[in-house]
Amino acid sequence: SLRLGAIRRLYSNLGYEQRPWKDVLDYAKLGLKTFLADESLDGDLLQLVVFSHRVISSVPLTTDTKALTRVIDSVIPVANTAFYDALMVSLQMANNSSGETVLIALTDGNDNASRNSVNDLVRLANERGVKIYIIGLGRVFPEPLIEITDKTDGFFYYTQDPEQLTEIYRTI
C-alpha cells in the first residue's frame, strides 16, 4: 500500500540515532504524563498496561490520572518486548467499558516475547469494536503494527524522535 511504502521509506531513510534505553523511556514517560495532564481528558476512563518481556502491571479503567502518573514514574527499562500480550491484556480489561473504546499503545521494540499473535489481537479488537492506535518509537518493524491498526480502523504513527511523543499524543 502507499502508506506502508511511505513508512518503509521514512524508516529506512531517517536512520536511528542510538539513545540509551533510559533516555528513550524518559521521553516516553514525559509524553504520557503530558498527555495525562491534558484537561480535555477530564472524566475519560483511562487504563495503563506496563510491559517488557511480559506484562508487568496494569491499572484498570480509572479517571485518576495521578495514579496513572505514579505508575508511569515507577517504570524501569527491562529487555525484550511482549507488546502483543500487553495489547491483549488492554483489550480484555476494556471489555466492560461503555461508549467508544480506543486503545493507544507505544512500543520502542519489536515483539519478541508474546504468546499472542497479530491475528489474535485483530480478532478480539474487532469483536469488541476497539480501534487501535500504535506509536512506534525508534527501531520497530512497522509492518505488523500497520497491519494491526489498519485492520482495527486505527492508525500507526512512527517517530524516531522521542521528543515528538507529546505532539503525537495530542494529535490522537
Side-chain angles (χ1 to χ4, degrees):
S1 76
L2 289 174
R3 189 165 126 195
L4 180 58
I7 290 172
R8 276 192 189 130
R9 283 191 301 281
L10 175 70
Y11 185 73
S12 61
N13 291 337
L14 288 177
Y16 178 66
E17 178 185 342
Q18 277 289 46
R19 296 177 189 259
W21 277 58
K22 184 179 182 318
D23 186 41
V24 172
L25 182 61
D26 286 341
Y27 279 109
K29 287 179 178 183
L30 177 62
L32 280 169
K33 291 191 299 187
T34 303
F35 171 73
L36 291 174
D38 188 329
E39 291 178 8
S40 68
L41 293 175
D42 198 28
D44 285 353
L45 286 171
L46 305 166
Q47 72 178 29
L48 178 67
V49 175
V50 178
F51 65 97
S52 180
H53 62 290
R54 61 180 172 77
V55 174
I56 296 169
S57 67
S58 57
V59 178
L61 289 169
T62 183
T63 58
D64 186 353
T65 57
K66 289 180 181 163
L68 295 170
T69 299
R70 284 191 298 275
V71 173
I72 291 166
D73 284 337
S74 72
V75 174
I76 58 171
V78 182
N80 292 326
T81 303
F83 184 61
Y84 306 153
D85 287 352
L87 291 175
M88 284 297 273
V89 168
S90 295
L91 288 168
Q92 292 162 350
M93 288 173 61
N95 187 39
N96 297 326
S97 64
S98 61
E100 182 180 21
T101 303
V102 176
L103 187 112
I104 303 170
L106 168 73
T107 184
D108 66 350
N110 300 306
D111 191 304
N112 59 7
S114 285
R115 290 183 232 150
N116 293 287
S117 70
V118 168
N119 290 334
D120 296 333
L121 287 170
V122 168
R123 182 186 47 44
L124 186 59
N126 287 329
E127 283 174 7
R128 298 192 175 170
V130 176
K131 294 179 183 179
I132 300 177
Y133 293 81
I134 298 175
I135 303 165
L137 173 63
R139 292 186 175 180
V140 297
F141 294 126
E143 288 85 358
L145 307 178
I146 292 168
E147 181 180 353
I148 293 167
T149 58
D150 280 352
K151 290 182 176 179
T152 62
D153 293 326
F155 196 80
F156 174 74
Y157 295 84
Y158 171 78
T159 184
Q160 71 171 3
D161 183 0
E163 294 178 27
Q164 293 180 344
L165 291 175
T166 300
E167 189 58 36
I168 291 171
Y169 281 115
R170 284 188 184 130
T171 300
I172 296 172

